[in-house]
Amino acid sequence: MRVLGDEYLKSEFRAHRNVENPIHIVGFLNEWQKYAQEVEGESWHGAKLDTEKVDKMSDQQLGQLYELMQAIQKKGREDPDGES
């Protein structure tokens, strides 16, 4: 799963590297910082997405979330023991 997460992280940072709106930059970095803190302690196992955040997502973001879910499910089917 780490490889999948690393690739997703790299693509997200590449996609946002030319963003000029400071509000978007701060929001983006805050969310990634929260994410890093959560996965570090593995407190995210079994956690659910905040419905308020999901409601605020654009169609593009929801599409990305769906693609991520599919990739995780595919990886789980290929490697049911979670090793990689």
Side-chain angles (χ1 to χ4, degrees):
M1 293 308 268
R2 172 76 189 259
V3 172
L4 180 63
D6 288 350
E7 287 302 312
Y8 184 75
L9 177 65
K10 288 177 191 175
S11 75
E12 281 297 296
F13 273 90
R14 277 189 218 108
H16 289 84
R17 91 174 122 206
N18 295 323
V19 172
E20 295 180 12
N21 186 330
I23 294 172
H24 291 169
I25 294 168
V26 170
F28 176 78
L29 293 175
N30 281 339
E31 289 302 317
W32 275 111
Q33 187 176 33
K34 286 184 210 173
Y35 168 78
Q37 291 169 349
E38 287 178 10
V39 297
E40 185 176 298
E42 295 189 10
S43 64
W44 55 273
H45 284 267
K48 304 285 184 196
L49 289 174
D50 182 353
T51 55
E52 288 182 27
K53 287 184 182 180
V54 174
D55 290 341
K56 292 179 182 178
M57 288 183 179
S58 68
D59 289 342
Q60 181 183 9
Q61 290 170 321
L62 290 171
Q64 288 176 324
L65 187 60
Y66 181 73
E67 289 173 10
L68 180 61
M69 179 193 72
Q70 288 181 315
I72 291 169
Q73 288 174 342
K74 180 180 177 187
K75 182 69 176 169
R77 287 190 299 270
E78 291 172 357
D79 188 12
D81 295 330
E83 298 175 7
S84 50

